[in-house]
Amino acid sequence: MIATSPYVLTEMLEHHTLLITINRPDKLNALNRKTIDDLHEVLVEAEQNKEVRCLIIKGAGEKAFVAGADIAEFAHYSVEEGKQMSAHGHFKIFNFLENYSKPTIAAIHGFALGGGLELALACHIRVATTASKLGFPEVGLGVIPGYGGTQRLAHLVGKGKAFEMILTGNMIDANDGYKWGLINHVVAPQELISKCLELAKSISTKSPTAIAAAIRAINAGYNPQLNGYEVEIEEFGKSFGTEDFKEGVGAFLEKRKPNFQGN
Ligand code: COA
């Protein structure tokens, strides 16, 4: 059983999938510091739990995935506090999620704005609905995206579209997000979780050690301090030393389905 807090609910679903719900619906699930800290604790625990092979993150209520960082909380921050807020978020959630060893899927319904869109961008896969609205309204508040949005958005959609979204603050719908490469799948609102579970089902039958290695290799290519090709060579080689590799190749040769243990 994974810990649950008032702001972050957890539920184990089929296919070794943990559903995490950001639970502040009266504030459109805005991310205050407590939510960030509680989410971090859940992520740490889920990473250590072998039963969990995939995460789905969604927002509570009908209106929003997450409508951003909590504006009321940061309204009176100083320069130092603003910097600390951004660094704390990067460390506890956004970089942490991007480098998470298990696949993470953002299930986006309604608004995904500011820190909410950044939360989705930090996940490995994004599924949205025909009712989703995505945007970076920060410049309208006199700030900029501070949880990785200026970097991860450009990585996904290119510099031109990232400039447009961040400089205008305009929202786009999920179909435009899909065309731009921001969203992996657009579904009807009632199909959101089932679509995420369909992806989770594929993930859950594969080797957890290989999946973790693939995440490290893909991310290395976006890290200026690393050479993605070299990391790929290392990770490829290391996979030959895993039990999962023996199981995967053995199962193929024996014409049976593999049963990966993640070792
Ligand atoms: N931080 C803190 N509170 C927020 C919030 C945020 N990012 N987004 C919404 N809320 C709160 C509202 O203040 C309101 O609280 P209240 O009922 O106590 O007044 C509640 O959530 C519902 O929001 P409301 O604005 O009444 O809903 P709406 O349907 O009229 O508008 C939005 C929806 C998303 C357009 C609007 O809430 C909004 O613009 N939110 C801020 C988005 C933003 O700028 N995010 C980036 C932050 S850096």
Side-chain angles (χ1 to χ4, degrees):
M1 187 66 198
I2 307 280
T4 285
S5 87
Y7 290 156
V8 182
L9 309 178
T10 62
E11 185 188 350
M12 206 60 209
L13 304 181
E14 57 193 322
H15 311 309
H16 296 276
T17 300
L18 183 72
L19 176 65
I20 298 177
T21 304
I22 311 295
N23 187 42
R24 293 185 77 207
D26 54 327
K27 297 291 176 191
L28 304 188
N29 306 314
L31 298 173
N32 60 2
R33 195 177 169 107
K34 173 85 177 125
T35 306
I36 298 248
D37 288 343
D38 289 359
L39 179 56
H40 177 77
E41 275 179 33
V42 166
L43 293 175
V44 169
E45 206 180 322
E47 192 159 44
Q48 288 159 0
N49 187 328
K50 284 221 157 198
E51 269 309 295
V52 177
R53 294 194 177 185
C54 183
L55 303 183
I56 298 173
I57 302 181
K58 74 172 182 70
E62 297 299 313
K63 274 180 82 172
F65 172 67
V66 169
D70 190 316
I71 299 170
E73 190 176 70
F74 71 64
H76 301 291
Y77 276 6
S78 65
V79 169
E80 240 347 279
E81 287 169 320
K83 198 170 160 186
Q84 205 276 336
M85 171 190 164
S86 174
H88 177 259
H90 277 266
F91 174 71
K92 289 254 169 159
I93 301 295
F94 300 87
N95 289 353
F96 195 75
L97 263 182
E98 181 169 61
N99 296 304
Y100 205 67
S101 61
K102 305 176 185 193
T104 56
I105 304 173
I108 306 168
H109 68 288
F111 293 108
L113 302 176
L117 186 50
E118 287 170 309
L119 181 64
L121 288 172
C123 289
H124 301 125
I125 297 170
R126 283 152 293 284
V127 180
T129 81
T130 46
S132 300
K133 292 280 178 205
L134 320 165
F136 280 111
E138 281 89 342
V139 294
L141 295 167
V143 289
I144 67 167
Y147 285 151
T150 62
Q151 307 304 300
R152 290 193 186 97
L153 182 66
H155 287 160
L156 274 181
V157 306
K159 207 171 160 185
K161 293 276 192 250
F163 271 133
E164 182 178 333
M165 277 187 82
I166 291 174
L167 304 188
T168 64
N170 290 342
M171 292 184 209
I172 61 170
D173 63 20
N175 281 322
D176 277 342
Y178 177 76
K179 282 188 230 148
W180 291 9
L182 178 52
I183 297 298
N184 295 64
H185 298 278
V186 184
V187 296
Q190 65 275 16
E191 288 164 9
L192 181 59
I193 298 301
S194 59
K195 180 67 195 177
C196 294
L197 276 173
E198 187 187 312
L199 297 168
K201 183 178 180 188
S202 299
I203 288 164
S204 69
T205 58
K206 308 302 187 303
S207 153
T209 60
I211 283 175
I215 291 171
R216 287 192 291 273
I218 292 170
N219 279 340
Y222 292 86
N223 182 337
Q225 273 135 30
L226 296 173
N227 178 320
Y229 293 98
E230 281 172 11
V231 173
E232 183 188 270
I233 291 167
E234 279 302 310
E235 294 291 349
F236 181 77
K238 274 200 280 181
S239 60
F240 285 73
T242 65
E243 291 299 316
D244 277 4
F245 172 73
K246 284 187 202 135
E247 172 62 15
V249 172
F252 177 82
L253 295 175
E254 290 159 25
K255 299 191 186 305
R256 61 173 173 85
K257 285 209 166 90
N259 179 12
F260 292 113
Q261 299 301 313
N263 297 314

